[in-house]
Amino acid sequence: MHEAPSSEELLGSVIGFLNHVAAPQLSGQAAFHARVAANALALVEREIVQRPAADARAQALYADLLQDQTSPLEALTKQVCAHIRSGELSCDNPTLLAALREITSAQLAIDQPNYSGLMP
């Protein structure tokens, strides 16, 4: 059995090193770049951890909205966009709005987890 650290654990270690060891010892542009690197790695970590569930949920929401249980997420997303553009789906549709809110919130949780709009 292979018991190496997981990708998430490795990323967490590098992020911790950058934030708590390297960046405090740096100044100016080097410190800034260390923080940027740590933030980029944290985004990658959230993608690895959260993306599969977020995509599965988006696919389920769009599939229910379009009554299409067979298409992949990319195709469903394009269909939803086309229906919105054509006026077949509008802001008056509470199911559409609920789906878009949930999908957007999941994306923000990955991209900008401290975004104030996510706070209850």
Side-chain angles (χ1 to χ4, degrees):
M1 179 175 193
H2 185 67
E3 295 188 20
S6 69
S7 298
E8 296 88 358
E9 291 169 326
L10 291 170
L11 284 167
S13 293
V14 174
I15 292 165
F17 168 76
L18 287 170
N19 283 327
H20 304 296
V21 177
Q25 295 181 31
L26 300 170
S27 63
Q29 189 175 22
F32 171 77
H33 285 291
R35 288 191 305 274
V36 169
N39 288 337
L41 291 173
L43 180 108
V44 170
E45 182 180 38
R46 290 188 302 274
E47 278 283 343
I48 290 170
V49 172
Q50 298 176 33
R51 176 62 57 206
D55 283 353
R57 182 64 180 145
Q59 184 167 2
L61 289 166
Y62 285 158
D64 288 346
L65 183 68
L66 298 172
Q67 298 300 300
D68 176 353
Q69 304 300 318
T70 60
S71 295
L73 177 57
E74 185 177 341
L76 292 169
T77 302
K78 288 179 181 180
Q79 289 177 47
V80 168
C81 291
H83 287 307
I84 292 170
R85 271 193 302 276
S86 72
E88 293 175 59
L89 285 173
S90 74
C91 311
D92 298 333
N93 184 320
T95 306
L96 171 65
L97 286 178
L100 293 176
R101 278 189 189 106
E102 188 172 339
I103 291 165
T104 301
S105 292
Q107 185 62 49
L108 282 170
I110 294 169
D111 292 344
Q112 296 291 325
N114 297 321
Y115 179 68
S116 63
L118 289 175
M119 306 304 159

